[in-house]
Amino acid sequence: MYTQALNARDAVAEAGPEEAGRHARFQARIEAEERIEPNDWMPEAYRRTLVRQISQHAHSEIVGMLPEGNWITRAPSLKRKAALLAKVQDEAGHGLYLYAAAETLGVAREDLVDQLLDGRAKYSSIFNYPTLTWADIGAIGWLVDGAAIMNQIPLCRCSYGPYARAMIRICKEESFHQRQGYEIMLTLCRGTPEQKAMAQDALNRWWWPCLMMFGPPDSESQHSEQSARWKIKRFSNDELRQKFVDATVPQGHHLGLAFPDPELAYDAETGHWRFGAIDWEEFRQVLAGNGPCNRQRMRQRRDAHAAGAWVREAALAHAGKRARRASAEAGPASAAA
Ligand code: BYC
C-alpha cells in the first residue's frame, strides 16, 4: 500500500538538499492552492501520475462511446437519436481535450493511444458492460454520467491547470448528459409496465458496476494518499462513492424503482445511505480484461484505429502542405527575420 508515496519521499531524501528544496517549494505552492502549469518545475512522480490519470480518463471517454454508439441506429425517435448522437460526439470531444491536456506533460498522443490499444493502459471498468436495451441508455446517462460528475467536479480544482480547465467544460456537458439520461428513465417509468420493467432491469444491472467506477476501497487504493497530498484528488474513492449513493438513491425512489441491494438503508444518525458489500472480485476480473465486453471493446477500438489510418495520414499531409505553402509565401523576408 502507498508504495508510490513512499518511493517518492525516499527519492527526495536521497537526492540531496537542492532537490529537496525544489520539492518543498513545489509542495508549498500546492498548499497555497496555486495552479501548476506545463512550464513549471514539477516532480517526475507528479508528472507521471497526471499522465496516467489523464490518459486513462481520455481513454475512458473514447471507449465510453461504444456502448452508447450501439443504440444510435436503434433510438426510439428522431429526437432521441439526435440527443444520443450529440452526447456521443461530446464524449469524443472530452477525449480530445483530455489527450491535449496530457500532451502538455510532454507525452505524445500516439504513444498514449498505443498504450490503450496494446492493453498497457486502463480505461474505466464501467464500459465493459453491455447495453442490452434502450433503458440502458437512460441508465448510463443517469448513473454513469452521474457518477462521473461526482468524481469530476472536484477535478475542476485539481492542482494541474490544464486538467482542471478541461474538467470545467467537461462537467458542464456531463450534467446535461445526466439529465437526458434521467429523463429517458422518467419517460420509461411513466410508460407501460413493460417499459417500467425495462428501466428496473437496467438499474439492476448498472447499479453495482457504477459503484465500482470510483475505484478500489480507500484501504486498497495505491495512489490516493499521494494524489491527495498533491491536490490532484480532493476526495477519496470511498467518500465520492458515498456522495454518489446519497445523491442517487432519492432520484431512484422518485422514479419508483427499487435498488438491487437489500442492505440499502438510510442512517438517520449519519445522514447517509448505508449500502451492502461491493463484489471486488468482479471489479478485479473486469480490470484484468475478463469483463463481459472487454475483448469486444478493444477489438472495436483497434479496428476503428486501423480504419482511420488514412484519415490521419491525409490530415498530416494536408497540414504539411499548408505549412510549406505558408513558409514559401512568407519568402526570404521571414528567413531574414
Ligand atoms: N476502472 O489507486 P487507485 C466518463 C485503477 S469516463 C478501471 O484508487 P487513482 C464517461 C487505477 O487506475 C470515467 N481502473 O487509483 C465517459 C489504478 O491502476 P493503475 C473515467 C480503475 O488513480 C463516457 C488502480 O485501479 N473517469 O465519465 O488514485 C460516457 C488503483 O486505483 C478504476 C476518470 O477517469 C476503474 N473504475 O483513482 C459517460 C476520472 N478505478 O493506473 C461517462 C479520473 C481504479 O495504477 N480518474 N482503477 O494501473 C480518477 O479520478 C482516478 O484515476 C480514479 C482512480 C478515481 C478512477
Side-chain angles (χ1 to χ4, degrees), residues 52-53 56-57 60-61 64-65 68 87 91 122-127 140 144-145 148 151-152 155 163 174 212-216 220-224 227 233 237 283 287:
R52 176 185 64 79
Q53 178 166 326
Q56 294 189 7
H57 193 166
S60 305
E61 298 281 356
M65 294 161 72
E68 291 173 297
K87 179 180 193 280
E91 279 145 17
K122 292 191 172 78
Y123 59 88
S124 182
S125 49
I126 194 71
F127 300 118
I140 289 182
V144 176
D145 286 271
N151 164 272
Q152 291 173 185
L155 289 173
Y163 191 26
E174 298 285 26
M212 296 174 196
M213 277 178 77
F214 295 91
E220 287 171 31
S221 166
Q222 308 153 41
H223 304 293
S224 280
S227 289
K233 276 174 117 164
N237 298 357
F283 178 71
L287 259 58

Side-chain angles (χ1 to χ4, degrees), residues 125 129 208-215 278-280 282-283:
S125 49
Y129 291 85
W208 289 108
C210 280
L211 297 192
M212 296 174 196
M213 277 178 77
F214 295 91
I278 294 173
D279 180 357
W280 291 113
E282 175 178 325
F283 178 71

Side-chain angles (χ1 to χ4, degrees), residues 56 59 110-122 298:
Q56 294 189 7
H59 302 329
E110 294 74 24
D111 293 341
L112 299 177
V113 172
D114 284 348
Q115 286 171 18
L116 170 70
L117 299 181
D118 67 21
R120 273 175 294 154
K122 292 191 172 78
M298 288 315 297

Side-chain angles (χ1 to χ4, degrees), residues 144-209:
V144 176
D145 286 271
I149 293 167
M150 206 50 97
N151 164 272
Q152 291 173 185
I153 293 275
L155 289 173
C156 298
R157 292 187 294 122
C158 158
S159 58
Y160 187 57
Y163 191 26
R165 289 189 287 273
M167 290 319 303
I168 291 171
R169 180 156 170 190
I170 292 175
C171 284
K172 284 191 181 141
E173 294 178 353
E174 298 285 26
S175 67
F176 177 73
H177 296 171
Q178 197 266 355
R179 277 177 238 172
Q180 71 83 41
Y182 192 73
E183 202 262 331
I184 291 175
M185 294 299 274
L186 202 54
T187 305
L188 291 172
C189 290
R190 288 177 178 165
T192 64
E194 288 79 6
Q195 287 172 317
K196 183 150 188 205
M198 208 193 272
Q200 180 64 61
D201 173 59
L203 173 59
N204 293 349
R205 284 180 292 106
W206 288 91
W207 178 245
W208 289 108

Side-chain angles (χ1 to χ4, degrees), residues 9-20 23:
R9 280 201 295 265
D10 291 350
V12 175
E14 277 169 21
E18 201 179 310
E19 186 71 357
H23 280 267

